[in-house]
Every structure is written in C-alpha cells, then in structure tokens.
Amino acid sequence: FEGNGNRYRCHLVKKDTWELADAYWWVGKPDAEFAMKDFIYKYDGKILFHGYKYNDIYEFRRDTTIVHYTINVDNKMPPKDFWKGEDQTMRVHREYDIKGYIGHIPFYVESDRSILLFFDGGKKEDENYAFINKENRATKVIERFIFEDGFVHKPPTLYSQRDGWCAFLLYPEDILLNAAFAQRFPGLEEESNPVLFLAKIK
C-alpha cells in the first residue's frame, strides 16, 4: 500500500515475476452520489457510452457514433435539448425540480433480455433503480432489493461489468441487521471487510 493523506493506493504484483500488474486507489463506502459523469459499458461486443444529462445511449463504431437507444423511466426524461442554455436561465432548474425529471443515469447493466439502471433527479426522492424489459419496454422502479432470508437492502452503487454482470458491496453493519441472513457468513463481524457480491441480470 502507498499512502497519500487519507487515500491509499493498492499495488498488485505478479507473484512469479514480481512485475507490477495494476494499481488502484482504495475505495471507501460509496455514497449514493456517484462521481462519474461519463459512463462506458461493453455489451454484446459493442462499446456503449452516455454522458451527464444525456437522453440517449450511444454506440461507438469504428468511424461513427450512433444512438443505441433512449432510456425513459416513468416519462421522467426531460425533453430533448432541455439542458441547452441552462447557464443562462434558472427556469430550467426550476422546471427540473418541479417535474422530477431524470438528470443523470450514473450506471446501468444490460443483458439480452433486460436493463438494470440507477437514475437520479433534482431531489433525493427522485433517485432510484429501474428495471427495463427490452422485449416489451415495460419499466419497473425498484425501491429495494430482497435477498434470501428476507434481507432487504438497496446498494448505493452497482459496479457494472460487461454483458449483464455487475458487482456490489454489502457491508457487515447492514448484513448483521438480519440474523438469519448473517448466518450465511460465518465469522462476519462489524469490523470485517465488506462482502463482494457478483450478479447477472436475466
């Protein structure tokens, strides 16, 4: 570990050659406020991209970029070009708050059948997960995830992997609130490291 104030960089070294394989900053418990403004995702061999306050998800191609699809949840996506000229008027921000528009989709996961995404808006109550059925475009807002043994939790962040896979952390203080679910992790204590979950959406 390499220290830098309150941050620590973890170095991964290949055991057989002692070459540096990778390095990354240690990530503490994430807040629901996700810092990443631009998002890149890989699905079915395609590289997808969207940015902050985008209505559309784009697909990168060798010589061009095309609209892959437009995501809308409960008709909360603002009209196209809504954000243009936002620096010149407060009306845009007022309308954004009043109508509960989606301002950003920090992360999402796509499989052959569905899309799981997180969206946020002008107020805390305007952020949640949503599940989209790609076949019929039916959309459901998800307020919480229910695990085995009745454990209920909403991960503040999903770490998107390619082709429908994602990872998220469950922290000991949350797991230990449900005694039955906690029995699945023998020896887990409040000071233990978080449990890493890997999941694939259908």
Side-chain angles (χ1 to χ4, degrees):
F1 285 93
E2 169 195 358
N4 179 7
N6 293 326
R7 303 180 70 196
Y8 297 89
R9 182 183 290 274
C10 177
H11 295 273
L12 299 181
V13 179
K14 294 180 182 179
K15 185 177 178 181
D16 51 347
T17 63
W18 292 101
E19 293 179 35
L20 181 66
D22 207 347
Y24 57 91
W25 289 107
W26 175 83
V27 179
K29 188 169 184 177
D31 195 345
E33 298 291 335
F34 204 66
M36 190 163 55
K37 298 293 187 183
D38 296 327
F39 184 85
I40 296 177
Y41 182 69
K42 192 166 184 180
Y43 163 70
D44 192 28
K46 304 178 181 72
I47 298 176
L48 307 179
F49 164 85
H50 80 275
Y52 188 54
K53 297 178 179 176
Y54 276 39
N55 288 41
D56 299 319
I57 308 295
Y58 295 93
E59 177 186 331
F60 283 138
R61 296 194 173 177
R62 183 180 297 274
D63 56 355
T64 188
T65 302
I66 64 169
V67 175
H68 187 63
Y69 43 64
T70 299
I71 290 180
N72 193 1
V73 178
D74 289 351
N75 293 318
K76 289 185 176 180
M77 189 62 72
K80 197 169 184 65
D81 298 331
F82 175 77
W83 295 108
K84 285 191 176 178
E86 61 174 302
D87 294 334
Q88 294 146 20
T89 175
M90 291 300 294
R91 178 197 59 78
V92 170
H93 291 281
R94 215 169 30 249
E95 188 177 344
Y96 172 52
D97 287 340
I98 292 171
K99 296 193 175 181
Y101 284 144
I102 294 172
H104 187 38
I105 299 172
F107 47 87
Y108 62 88
V109 189
E110 180 177 358
S111 72
D112 293 340
R113 294 164 51 186
S114 54
I115 297 170
L116 177 65
L117 62 91
F118 185 86
F119 63 89
D120 63 29
K123 299 185 287 292
K124 191 74 174 176
E125 54 266 31
D126 294 328
E127 63 180 37
N128 238 323
Y129 284 93
F131 186 83
I132 301 173
N133 184 318
K134 289 170 64 175
E135 184 176 336
N136 58 18
R137 300 187 180 182
T139 304
K140 294 181 180 178
V141 174
I142 302 172
E143 296 183 358
R144 58 187 181 169
F145 293 87
I146 302 176
F147 296 79
E148 299 287 341
D149 301 315
F151 176 67
V152 177
H153 186 66
K154 183 167 74 171
T157 304
L158 288 181
Y159 299 94
S160 304
Q161 311 295 306
R162 65 174 60 183
D163 294 322
W165 285 92
C166 64
F168 59 93
L169 299 174
L170 286 182
Y171 287 83
E173 60 264 36
D174 298 319
I175 294 175
L176 293 171
L177 293 175
N178 183 308
F181 186 69
Q183 289 180 358
R184 297 173 177 270
F185 310 97
L188 185 73
E189 299 176 350
E190 286 193 12
E191 296 77 20
S192 299
N193 286 325
V195 178
L196 177 66
F197 272 70
L198 294 175
K200 186 173 186 180
I201 64 170
K202 294 183 178 180

